[in-house]
């Protein structure tokens, strides 16, 4: 029996097919591993978006919990408030290290440098926390310390700025073209005239003589013609501005003659050349003018360290050398608690003085050029032959740059009216006006002729009153309209001296026939036509 029992037992099977009494073995487990994604990638995306000011992309990288607690506008506002408060103009960063603490949490450490236009760069070691949910990508668990660790607990930044006094602009001899006042001291006098309040004819003559001297008018200036239009009226006529020290010398005399009203004030002053209202200022288009920061540019200017109440250059030297004339502001960036109480200074820097600008302009020559072109629409430029230095640059009609300076009692609707004038007096016709070169182009045509080898300086051509070598077209010499006789046979050099139009028509046609159709435009480009001159205040390239 025992043998049967044992035999029977040996035949018992478990449910999985293994003999009874034997422990079944499990298959080897299949191991799979999945590394958490690199948090550096998301951190770098977030910081790059900050550099670019792309707050939408930054917000898109925040964790869902952060977004639930922080609306987009609040998020953007906090960054913009910090950037504005510190006058931060750029962001730089460097990833230092990253640590994946668990499949759901990571930490990235980075170094951030915020460059302030007022106090310079501020560098901090910083940290960014990241989370991920259900295998999703890393997202930033944002806190204010992700901007600066100093902002923990709702702390704020406060910036106090010290702005240097704007530097002066001078001509080649050191005579001022634009100057700042001394501290708390008037440097400008604005004058008005009421003709009917002038004494007798003798007083009138003396008054006009002294005004001519005061406003530095030429002896031939038609001041009486201007005055005749308002004589015997009670009009309150603005005359313009003059340096205070010059007004002081004759102010008492003018007051005794009657009819003159004056108000002194301190402001940036542009030296004038004439009595015509709103046409003063030496080289106003080249020197430029300043005006207060406008609302639409306030944010951009604050990012450059401006407080918002400064005057900035608009055109000419004032605009081209804004940074040099302004200097480098200084100040202190302070840390305040959430209640606005002072905690301490984060960074400070002393202001750096501005640089005065010395131009190549000759103030006296410039005044002569402006007077010569007054009443016309156009431009006069006087260059020094050997250096190319601009000695005078006059554009007409002109304007008075003093009208844009705050504190000027003459400032008013006249300024707006001036800007709206159809003749655009604020446009620099010397640099922005595009005009046909006229007979000055003959020098380029002559150079192309000589360069071709087909012409010599003594090559002779008959200069008639007309040019009829093109079928169906008749072109004329300038002497035709003047009813002068033809110049006759002229060498190439003589053709230039006489400015003979047919000579140069002939050159153009002859070069074309000889297979050199681009010789003249190529020479024009060689002379620099079609390119900007590189003058510091900017110019149009021409054609």
């Amino acid at each position: 029996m025992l043998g049967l029992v044992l035999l029977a037992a040996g035949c018992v099977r478990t449910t999985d097919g293994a003999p009874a009494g034997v422990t079944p073995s499990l298959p080897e487990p299949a191991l799979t591993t999945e590394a958490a994604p690199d948090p550096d990638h998301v951190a770098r995306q977030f910081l790059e978006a900050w550099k670019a000011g792309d707050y939408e992309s930054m917000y898109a990288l925040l964790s869902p919990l952060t977004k639930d607690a922080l609306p987009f506008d609040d998020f953007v506002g906090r960054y913009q408030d910090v950037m504005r408060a510190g006058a931060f103009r750029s962001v730089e960063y460097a990833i230092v290290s990253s640590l994946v603490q668990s499949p759901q949490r990571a930490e990235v450490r980075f170094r951030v440098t915020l460059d302030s236009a007022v106090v310079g760069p501020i560098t901090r070691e910083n940290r960014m926390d990241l989370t991920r949910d259900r295998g999703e990508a890393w997202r930033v668990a944002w806190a204010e310390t992700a901007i600066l660790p100093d902002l923990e607990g709702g702390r704020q930044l406060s910036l106090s700025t010290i702005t240097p006094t704007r530097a002066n602009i001078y001509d080649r001899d050191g005579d001022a073209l634009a100057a700042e006042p001394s501290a708390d001291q008037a440097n400008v006098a604005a004058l008005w005239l009421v003709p009917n309040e002038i004494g007798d004819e003798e007083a009138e003559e003396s008054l006009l003589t002294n005004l001519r001297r005061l406003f530095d008018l030429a002896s031939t200036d038609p001041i009486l013609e201007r005055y005749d239009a308002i004589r015997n009226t009670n009009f309150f006529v603005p005359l313009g501005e003059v340096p205070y020290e010059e007004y002081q010398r004759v102010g008492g005399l003018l007051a005794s003659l009657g009819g003159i009203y004056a108000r002194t004030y301190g402001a940036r002053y542009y030296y004038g050349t004439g009595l015509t209202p709103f046409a003063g200022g030496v080289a106003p288009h080249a020197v430029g003018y300043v005006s207060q920061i406008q609302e639409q540019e306030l944010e951009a200017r604050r990012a450059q360290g401006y407080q918002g109440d400064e005057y900035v250059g608009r055109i000419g030297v004032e605009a081209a050398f804004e940074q040099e004339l302004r200097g480098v502001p200084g100040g202190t960036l302070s840390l305040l608690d959430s209640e606005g109480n002072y905690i301490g200074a984060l960074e400070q820097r002393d202001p750096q003085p501005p640089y005065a600008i010395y131009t190549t302009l000759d103030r006296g020559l410039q005044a002569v050029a402006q007077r010569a072109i007054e009443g016309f629409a156009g431009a006069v430029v006087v260059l020094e032959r050997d250096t190319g230095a601009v000695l005078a640059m006059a554009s007409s009609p002109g304007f008075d740059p003093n009208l844009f300076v705050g504190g000027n009692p003459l400032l008013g609707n006249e300024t707006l009216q001036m800007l709206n004038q159809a003749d655009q007096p604020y446009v620099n016709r010397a640099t922005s006006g595009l005009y046909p070169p006229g007979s000055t182009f003959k020098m380029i045509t002559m150079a192309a002729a000589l360069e071709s080898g087909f012409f010599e300086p003594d090559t002779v051509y008959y200069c008639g009153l007309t040019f009829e070598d093109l079928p169906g077209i008749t072109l004329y010499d300038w002497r035709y309209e003047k009813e002068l006789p033809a110049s006759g046979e002229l060498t190439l050099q003589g053709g230039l001296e006489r400015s003979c139009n047919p000579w140069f028509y002939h050159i153009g046609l002859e070069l074309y026939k000889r297979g050199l159709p681009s010789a003249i435009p190529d020479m024009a480009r060689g002379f620099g036509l079609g390119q900007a001159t590189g003058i510091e205040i900017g110019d149009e390239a021409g054609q």
Side-chain angles (χ1 to χ4, degrees):
M1 280 297 294
L2 183 60
L4 290 173
V5 173
L6 289 176
L7 179 60
C11 293
V12 173
R13 298 285 176 176
T14 61
T15 56
D16 61 359
V22 179
T23 303
S25 61
L26 296 174
E28 289 292 326
L31 299 178
T32 60
T33 61
E34 180 182 350
D38 184 2
D40 283 17
H41 176 66
V42 172
R44 196 176 303 278
Q45 279 185 301
F46 187 86
L47 294 170
E48 281 292 330
W50 185 12
K51 282 185 63 174
D54 184 359
Y55 298 114
E56 288 191 12
S57 296
M58 295 172 70
Y59 192 76
L61 294 171
L62 299 185
S63 68
L65 286 177
T66 302
K67 290 182 179 178
D68 290 342
L70 184 66
F72 173 73
D73 289 343
D74 292 349
F75 172 78
V76 174
R78 185 58 173 136
Y79 270 91
Q80 289 180 336
D81 288 346
V82 170
M83 298 298 286
R84 185 185 305 113
F88 295 126
R89 53 192 173 186
S90 66
V91 179
E92 297 295 335
Y93 73 91
I95 302 288
V96 176
S97 65
S98 62
L99 174 64
V100 177
Q101 299 163 324
S102 73
Q104 285 76 40
R105 299 191 65 82
E107 172 189 288
V108 173
R109 292 192 173 271
F110 62 97
R111 183 179 301 108
V112 63
T113 299
L114 302 180
D115 184 32
S116 168
V118 175
V119 298
I122 294 177
T123 301
R124 294 290 187 271
E125 299 292 331
N126 214 338
R127 188 186 81 182
M128 185 187 303
D129 293 322
L130 299 99
T131 63
R132 60 194 293 257
D133 186 31
R134 296 185 300 274
E136 299 293 334
W138 290 112
R139 289 293 179 259
V140 177
W142 187 84
E144 288 183 312
T145 52
I147 306 176
L148 282 174
D150 308 84
L151 300 179
E152 184 177 8
R155 292 172 175 175
Q156 308 287 327
L157 298 178
S158 176
L159 182 65
S160 61
T161 304
I162 303 172
T163 303
T165 301
R166 194 173 184 88
N168 295 346
I169 301 174
Y170 298 98
D171 79 347
R172 64 188 297 149
D173 298 319
D175 292 327
L177 301 173
E180 286 288 314
S182 302
D184 301 322
Q185 182 178 349
N187 69 324
V188 187
L191 276 68
W192 293 264
L193 172 67
V194 181
N196 269 351
E197 295 185 9
I198 303 174
D200 53 22
E201 291 185 7
E202 185 178 345
E204 181 181 70
E205 183 179 349
S206 177
L207 178 66
L208 294 174
T209 298
N210 280 281
L211 288 177
R212 182 185 292 118
R213 292 171 181 168
L214 182 61
F215 284 92
D216 193 27
L217 290 167
S219 59
T220 56
D221 189 85
I223 185 171
L224 289 177
E225 294 179 13
R226 298 172 183 170
Y227 178 68
D228 280 342
I230 59 171
R231 181 182 262 125
N232 301 321
T233 69
N234 290 314
F235 295 163
F236 204 61
V237 181
L239 298 179
E241 313 85 359
V242 293
Y244 176 67
E245 63 272 15
E246 295 182 17
Y247 168 73
Q248 267 190 316
R249 290 197 289 268
V250 295
L253 173 61
L254 293 177
S256 69
L257 298 173
I260 287 292
Y261 291 83
R263 186 180 304 170
T264 60
Y265 61 101
R268 189 164 183 81
Y269 177 66
Y270 296 92
Y271 287 79
T273 63
L275 185 63
T276 305
F278 318 122
V282 176
H285 302 87
V287 174
Y289 66 91
V290 295
S291 68
Q292 277 193 304
I293 293 172
Q294 303 300 303
E295 182 178 357
Q296 63 270 20
E297 61 179 329
L298 183 57
E299 287 301 315
R301 292 289 186 180
R302 280 179 171 168
Q304 298 168 355
Y306 292 87
Q307 294 177 290
D309 58 352
E310 298 93 338
Y311 286 78
V312 295
R314 296 302 181 187
I315 63 173
V317 173
E318 291 279 26
F321 293 92
E322 168 67 18
Q323 295 306 313
E324 290 81 1
L325 290 165
R326 175 196 180 205
V328 179
T332 302
L333 183 63
S334 302
L335 190 64
L336 312 178
D337 66 18
S338 58
E339 302 296 324
N341 300 311
Y342 177 79
I343 296 175
L346 287 184
E347 194 65 59
Q348 59 184 17
R349 183 174 68 180
D350 293 332
Q352 299 175 27
Y355 291 96
I357 301 298
Y358 286 81
T359 69
T360 59
L361 295 172
D362 182 309
R363 196 168 87 175
L365 182 61
Q366 176 70 35
V368 171
Q370 286 179 227
R371 290 172 187 147
I373 201 174
E374 185 179 356
F376 297 94
V380 171
V381 179
V382 182
L383 304 179
E384 191 172 61
R385 183 196 62 186
D386 295 335
T387 66
V390 178
L391 303 181
M393 179 181 286
S395 179
S396 181
F399 65 93
D400 184 356
N402 293 296
L403 291 178
F404 295 92
V405 179
N408 187 343
L410 300 182
L411 179 65
N413 290 333
E414 294 84 357
T415 304
L416 297 177
Q417 292 170 5
M418 179 193 71
L419 292 175
N420 290 327
Q421 287 178 19
D423 55 7
Q424 298 181 309
Y426 51 91
V427 172
N428 188 350
R429 286 164 167 78
T431 58
S432 300
L434 299 178
Y435 304 100
S439 288
T440 60
F441 196 83
K442 289 173 180 172
M443 291 184 288
I444 293 172
T445 305
M446 180 178 180
L450 295 171
E451 184 75 14
S452 72
F454 298 126
F455 295 87
E456 299 292 337
D458 56 0
T459 301
V460 174
Y461 174 80
Y462 181 83
C463 179
L465 294 177
T466 61
F467 181 81
E468 302 178 5
D469 291 3
L470 293 170
I473 297 176
T474 300
L475 301 174
Y476 296 90
D477 188 28
W478 64 270
R479 298 173 69 87
Y480 179 88
E481 292 185 0
K482 300 290 185 181
E483 297 184 353
L484 297 172
S487 296
E489 289 192 349
L490 295 173
T491 64
L492 179 53
Q493 181 174 329
L496 184 64
E497 293 171 355
R498 287 290 189 97
S499 192
C500 170
N501 294 345
W503 224 130
F504 294 89
Y505 300 146
H506 168 69
I507 291 173
L509 181 59
E510 190 67 17
L511 291 177
Y512 177 81
K513 289 179 176 178
R514 291 176 179 266
L516 298 174
S518 67
I520 294 176
D522 288 346
M523 184 59 69
R525 279 187 284 269
F527 270 77
L529 273 70
Q531 306 169 36
T533 65
I535 191 171
E536 296 88 344
I537 60 175
D539 65 332
E540 297 293 336
Q543 299 175 349

